[in-house]
Amino acid sequence: MSETTAFSATVSAATRDGVLVVTIDNAPVNATSADVRNGLEKALARAESSTDVNGVVITGAGKTFIGGADIKEFGKPAMEPTLPAVIQKIEDLSKPVVAALNGAALGGGLEVALACHYRITSPAAQVGLPEVKLGIVPGAGGTQRLPRLIGIPAALDLITSGRSVKAEEALSLGIVDEIGEGDLVGTAVSIAGKFAGKPLRRTGELTVPVVDPTEIEKASAKIRAKARGQKAPAEAVRLVTSSARPLAEGLTDERATFLMLRDSREAAALRHVFFAEREASKVDGLEGIAPRPVGRIGICGLGLMGSGIAVAALGAGYTVIGLDQTPDVAEKGHERIVGLLERNLASGRLDQAGFDAQKARLSVTALDSDLAFCDLIIEAVFDDLDVKIDLFRRLDRVIRPDAVLATNTSYLNPDEIAAATAHPERVLGLHFFSPAHVMRLVEVVRCARTAPDVLATGLSAAKKLRKLPIVTGVTEGFIGNRIFSAYRREAEFLLEDGALPHEIDAALEEYGFPMGLFAVYDMAGLEIAWARRKRQAASRDPSARYVEIADTLCEAGRMGQKSGRGWYAYPDGKRIIDPEVTIIIEAARAKKGIVPRHFSRDEILKRLLEAMAMEGDALLAQGIAARPGDIDLVMINGYGFPSHKGGPMFARIEPPQSDT
Ligand code: 3HC
């Protein structure tokens, strides 16, 4: 190996057996910042001009090859050279260039690799073009080179889903040429040496394989329908399906589309979500605090919620002990959990070995003392203060003093539950969303006396469950349900003021919610919220505006979809507008002397979004939520707020000026 030459602060190279090994070292993820692009360009020029260099290997330092373009540069003035220009130089080099994928090659990182003449990957690496998740399309050749390499159908799937694939799948698809064990760079060097002086396989020169256009149209229509109004997936479809045209033409179109999308509101929203997710894990007061080790999790209450949590915990590799009131009920819980695992097996999410291993790590009991060796205990029993306090007091007597106790309450005050226990400092809230094995959000409730390492334990366990944990302070309904209540209240005011349920739902669906609010109510059933309203009736502020329409519907037996009628009617299971509901709403308006007026979709949205954002302001002012981004993540991951709108706090910021 020759001495190392620095081509820029982040790109250096050394010659090994006549091959220039170029290493990108730009922590944390080797993003292709301006300095990286500069360094790469200089290294390529050196390789081209040096008579003692026969080939090039490009690799990354650390555990990533290249994580993509530097997202932090988006929105700043463009700096030369551009990534497509550098990538074109790679492909055009007269000497063989081998990509040695030491770790993830994502976005611009994979685009660099696609332009190399050969790709060898470590078994642990993943590759993908996740740009659509950021509201953009690949902007450095991905939509044109990937179809040339693996065909339009597979490229369409990868680019429009943004999913990453592991080394094995990358090999079978033809994205990489080889999986290399051991000295990856050494192998890449000998491959480059072998190709020296031989004709090179340039991806851009390959012909896009011909496929049945009706198949492509079917797949494209499906993708467009799933995009819920987002622009990037549709643009990606267009670019990939037209990739059989001359490369230069396709690349020009791709770049223009990329720049247009990069500067869009949608992309700004998704970047906000990306950074908010990373920010959310930085919690005040936890710097340097280690979580307690967790290997065994106890779950109390094996109903729907408890079973879902159990499945998530088993999937994360934990040993799970489920507790329920009697051996029979516990056994039913066991069956429910195994049933969910079987569904994962049937859908291919779990293989037989994984299923067997998870099942073997599950046991159930009706004896509190069987939880004695658990590190973390999550209760998901009936949402009643006395029931929860009784349970925690019983557990206090049998579990280890350093075990962590988590309550999954949605509406009760976890401080009251904690105060009733022997060690309130080990109590926190872990508020899962149903179904808990599917929904990504977990609100981690920091109670008044929760110890920092207990909070850290809740966060780290939730992360291991592959959830998105967001820390919240104690307040009725925590972050999500407080915002949701404000949103629901405003929607009901809108009903009284003149809008109808289907008009409100249409506005929400057009905005990107998967389902309108009133359709969701009908699906979930109206009775639980009705019971809560009845409980709260005595303590309600008599001067506050209260809309009685939902109560009237319940009194008329309209409990939602299950009962065939709710905010809508469901004559044969299909949702239709019900004139009877309109009559009930009109009567409610008349009773209060409200003269209804027409609301446009924009007006409806504006009022609903503003109600959410104002409640968010209150949560921030009260210190319940740490950052606006945390609120946005809760609403996106727990309540169907469209991620491409950035969440309610982001949504009200004026769109940034486009810089192109
Ligand atoms: N640009 C700038 N910063 C990035 C980045 C990127 N592409 N990717 C990650 N980062 C930053 C994160 O913000 C975080 O910063 P912080 O420490 O200050 O919070 C840090 O790198 C570490 O990130 P993670 O916590 O996510 O680290 P992990 O090790 O868990 O994951 C990863 C690494 C898999 C690379 C993950 O960060 C990731 O998925 N990154 C985004 C990949 C991506 O979307 N690439 C496409 C970019 S767009 C593009 O390439 C356009 C092109 O087509 C022209």
Side-chain angles (χ1 to χ4, degrees):
M1 192 87 138
S2 75
E3 264 187 27
T4 303
T5 309
F7 288 101
S8 73
T10 53
V11 178
S12 60
T15 314
R16 186 165 160 183
D17 301 334
V19 172
L20 192 68
V21 178
V22 181
T23 305
I24 298 162
D25 188 357
N26 185 25
V29 299
N30 296 336
T32 59
S33 60
D35 188 74
V36 169
R37 301 195 300 271
N38 245 309
L40 271 177
E41 190 178 53
K42 287 191 183 129
L44 291 166
R46 169 74 58 86
E48 192 67 276
S49 62
S50 296
T51 46
D52 52 352
V53 171
N54 302 320
V56 177
V57 167
I58 301 178
T59 194
K63 64 182 177 69
T64 312
F65 172 66
I66 299 173
D70 188 341
I71 311 168
K72 289 175 183 151
E73 278 184 0
F74 289 9
K76 293 187 187 156
M79 274 193 283
E80 297 290 330
T82 64
L83 188 58
V86 175
I87 284 180
Q88 196 58 53
K89 284 189 174 146
I90 294 175
E91 188 162 273
D92 292 344
L93 208 80
S94 66
K95 299 171 184 176
V97 186
V98 176
L101 308 183
N102 55 303
L106 300 173
L110 179 57
E111 290 172 303
V112 165
L114 291 177
C116 293
H117 308 124
Y118 194 89
R119 287 155 291 280
I120 176 167
T121 181
S122 82
Q126 299 209 357
V127 304
L129 291 171
E131 283 88 343
V132 285
K133 295 185 181 168
L134 293 169
I136 52 178
V137 291
T143 67
Q144 304 303 301
R145 289 197 175 88
L146 194 61
R148 281 173 164 74
L149 208 54
I150 66 171
I152 290 181
L156 206 51
D157 166 43
L158 283 187
I159 294 174
T160 60
S161 69
R163 77 183 174 94
S164 302
V165 298
K166 294 190 175 143
E168 299 269 313
E169 191 179 349
L171 180 67
S172 70
L173 283 170
I175 302 174
V176 298
D177 301 295
E178 187 177 329
I179 299 177
E181 305 276 351
D183 178 13
L184 190 75
V185 169
T187 314
V189 165
S190 53
I191 294 166
K194 218 169 59 192
F195 285 141
K198 305 234 168 74
L200 298 173
R201 184 178 185 240
R202 293 191 168 86
T203 312
E205 291 173 356
L206 302 176
T207 312
V208 177
V210 179
V211 264
D212 178 359
T214 52
E215 283 304 304
I216 295 183
E217 191 33 53
K218 250 205 262 164
S220 307
K222 240 185 172 166
I223 293 158
R224 280 190 289 259
K226 234 179 89 185
R228 285 206 262 143
Q230 290 186 65
K231 288 195 210 91
E235 289 294 343
V237 166
R238 189 181 63 73
L239 290 163
V240 173
T241 53
S242 61
S243 58
R245 58 184 155 164
L247 181 72
E249 202 181 295
L251 289 179
T252 306
D253 189 358
E254 179 198 68
R255 188 67 183 169
T257 311
F258 164 80
L259 292 174
M260 179 266 292
L261 290 173
R262 186 198 65 182
D263 297 331
S264 69
R265 181 81 180 131
E266 207 167 286
L270 287 163
R271 281 199 297 278
H272 160 72
V273 173
F274 178 86
F275 288 119
E277 283 194 9
R278 273 128 195 106
E279 204 55 29
S281 57
K282 294 165 193 156
V283 178
D284 252 6
L286 293 195
E287 301 81 14
I289 303 284
R292 299 181 186 178
V294 174
R296 194 181 298 252
I297 296 186
I299 296 172
C300 309
L302 301 176
L304 266 185
M305 182 58 92
S307 302
I309 299 171
V311 169
L314 291 166
Y318 289 115
T319 298
V320 171
I321 307 174
L323 173 78
D324 219 317
Q325 283 169 338
T326 65
D328 276 359
V329 181
E331 193 42 47
K332 287 244 159 56
H334 189 273
E335 279 167 25
R336 191 174 295 120
I337 297 165
V338 172
L340 291 173
L341 294 179
E342 277 165 354
R343 266 201 247 165
N344 285 347
L345 179 65
S347 69
R349 244 169 295 164
L350 201 56
D351 60 17
Q352 188 63 47
F355 173 83
D356 294 341
Q358 293 194 19
K359 200 171 154 195
R361 276 190 269 108
L362 171 68
S363 60
V364 296
T365 179
L367 290 176
D368 298 346
S369 55
D370 284 341
L371 301 193
F373 296 106
C374 287
D375 308 300
L376 166 67
I377 293 154
I378 305 171
E379 71 74 19
V381 298
F382 188 62
D383 212 17
D384 177 276
L385 192 62
D386 293 337
V387 173
K388 297 207 192 250
I389 286 178
D390 172 62
L391 173 71
F392 274 20
R393 283 193 172 147
R394 278 172 18 225
L395 291 175
D396 261 342
R397 290 195 283 271
V398 295
I399 62 174
R400 287 201 325 257
D402 60 340
V404 170
L405 274 176
T407 168
N408 180 51
T409 184
S410 310
Y411 282 100
L412 299 172
N413 183 340
D415 277 337
E416 282 182 40
I417 302 173
T421 69
H423 305 284
E425 66 285 353
R426 66 155 157 195
V427 176
L428 84 166
L430 285 179
H431 181 215
F432 287 82
F433 287 70
S434 191
H437 57 299
V438 176
M439 295 288 283
R440 202 170 156 232
L441 178 66
V442 175
E443 286 179 310
V444 179
V445 189
R446 181 184 226 158
C447 302
R449 297 188 53 191
T450 305
D453 67 333
V454 168
L455 188 68
T457 307
L459 282 166
S460 101
K463 264 194 208 148
K464 200 168 161 202
L465 296 185
R466 287 191 281 275
K467 302 290 175 198
L468 176 66
I470 303 291
V471 174
T472 166
V474 174
T475 181
E476 178 158 348
F478 312 122
I479 296 175
N481 279 335
R482 260 203 44 193
I483 303 237
F484 187 71
S485 295
Y487 160 55
R488 194 204 60 220
R489 199 163 48 234
E490 193 63 26
E492 296 193 357
F493 291 167
L494 274 166
L495 286 182
E496 266 191 352
D497 292 345
L500 287 170
H502 67 275
E503 292 168 344
I504 296 175
D505 281 0
L508 290 167
E509 285 170 24
E510 190 183 72
Y511 187 68
F513 279 86
M515 222 184 199
L517 181 63
F518 294 100
V520 169
Y521 277 154
D522 274 359
M523 214 175 71
L526 308 190
E527 60 275 21
I528 294 178
W530 187 34
R532 194 168 53 246
R533 287 197 300 278
K534 283 196 279 196
R535 276 201 309 275
Q536 292 167 342
S539 57
R540 192 177 298 133
D541 174 4
S543 64
R545 182 174 176 185
Y546 181 75
V547 179
E548 289 174 8
I549 301 168
D551 296 341
T552 314
L553 292 183
C554 293
E555 282 155 17
R558 307 185 65 109
M559 296 301 182
Q561 205 161 338
K562 275 184 303 222
S563 66
R565 300 177 320 150
W567 289 97
Y568 295 89
Y570 300 85
D572 5 84
K574 212 175 147 255
R575 185 186 325 133
I576 58 164
I577 299 167
D578 188 344
E580 261 184 46
V581 175
T582 310
I583 291 169
I584 291 173
I585 293 171
E586 282 169 354
R589 291 172 187 156
K591 194 171 154 193
K592 287 194 181 170
I594 297 171
V595 181
R597 71 172 188 86
H598 173 75
F599 287 93
S600 69
R601 285 193 181 178
D602 275 359
E603 279 177 300
I604 290 173
L605 269 176
K606 210 163 162 237
R607 270 185 61 170
L608 294 176
L609 294 179
E610 190 52 27
M612 286 193 229
M614 277 173 61
E615 193 67 15
D617 289 341
L619 288 167
L620 290 167
Q622 292 157 9
I624 304 294
R627 291 164 280 247
D630 286 1
I631 296 173
D632 288 336
L633 292 176
V634 166
M635 298 318 289
I636 288 168
N637 292 284
Y639 298 82
F641 198 103
S643 57
H644 59 284
K645 294 291 198 291
M649 306 309 281
F650 179 86
R652 72 162 158 197
I653 304 166
E654 280 308 306
Q657 292 297 308
S658 161
D659 61 356
T660 51

